[in-house]
Every structure is written in C-alpha cells, then in structure tokens.
Amino acid sequence: MNRRRFLTGMAATVTMGGFVTARVSAEDLPKVSEDDPTAKALGYVHDAAKADATLRKDDSNCSNCQLYQGAEGSQWGACAIFPGKAVAAEGWCKSWVVKA
Ligand code: SF4
C-alpha cells in the first residue's frame, strides 16, 4: 500500500513539474534582440512597420506567421527561427511564412 501511494505521488509530482516547466518556458523566454546576428541577417524588427517595405507583404507579422508559437493574443512568443528566445507578435523577419 505504501509503495502504491509513493508511486501515485511521484506520478503527480512529475505531471505538475511538466506543467510548471511548460508555463515557465512559454512566458519567460528572453526577448530576442534586434542586434542578434541572426536577427540582423533576417531583418528581424520588433515592429513590422519598421521592416524593409520592399520585402514585407502587407499586414504580415509574427502573429500571422506559421513559425510563431505564441498563444493567440500574446504579445511575445517563441519562434522556430530563434530557439530559446521570444519574438514580438508585432515583429517581422524575412523568414515569414503565411500561417496555414
Ligand atoms: Fe516572426 Fe515568423 Fe520571422 Fe519568426 S519566422 S521572427 S515568427 S516573421
């Protein structure tokens, strides 16, 4: 009986730990800098209105990019191009891909 309780408790702890880890990683990612070498190479800007107008499609920004992983309505979110960093929902870079 004690062993069953121990294993049940461990499973609950592991599950809760997973939720905490996911929450921290989604909300506390450091914001990518516009001076980051990859950001510069891709023309990333926090404000899509400041992007190179000859390259940017109308109304394209991170929030409507296929690679944006932020929640609906979020101001910042993860992006596959910048692992471990957050990009601005209103940002933009040359790797923008229309959300399917
Ligand atoms: Fe934003 Fe998409 Fe560029 Fe990532 S790939 S920085 S989500 S436009």
Side-chain angles (χ1 to χ4, degrees):
M1 191 66 164
N2 286 339
R3 183 171 183 225
R4 180 177 292 168
R5 275 193 179 161
F6 173 77
L7 292 174
T8 302
M10 286 298 290
T13 302
V14 169
T15 301
M16 288 173 62
F19 284 130
V20 170
T21 300
R23 183 183 168 103
V24 168
S25 63
E27 295 179 357
D28 294 336
L29 288 175
K31 296 173 182 173
V32 68
S33 167
E34 291 181 351
D35 293 328
D36 175 284
T38 303
K40 281 191 162 190
L42 295 176
Y44 171 81
V45 287
H46 295 315
D47 180 357
K50 296 178 181 169
D52 184 336
T54 62
L55 299 174
R56 180 179 168 245
K57 278 183 134 183
D58 290 346
D59 299 329
S60 62
N61 62 28
C62 293
S63 70
N64 58 27
C65 173
Q66 181 70 35
L67 302 179
Y68 185 68
Q69 299 165 5
E72 186 75 29
S74 60
Q75 294 185 334
W76 293 83
C79 165
I81 298 291
F82 298 101
K85 303 273 176 70
V87 298
E90 296 297 318
W92 182 90
C93 87
K94 292 177 193 174
S95 295
W96 180 87
V97 180
V98 67
K99 195 174 268 188

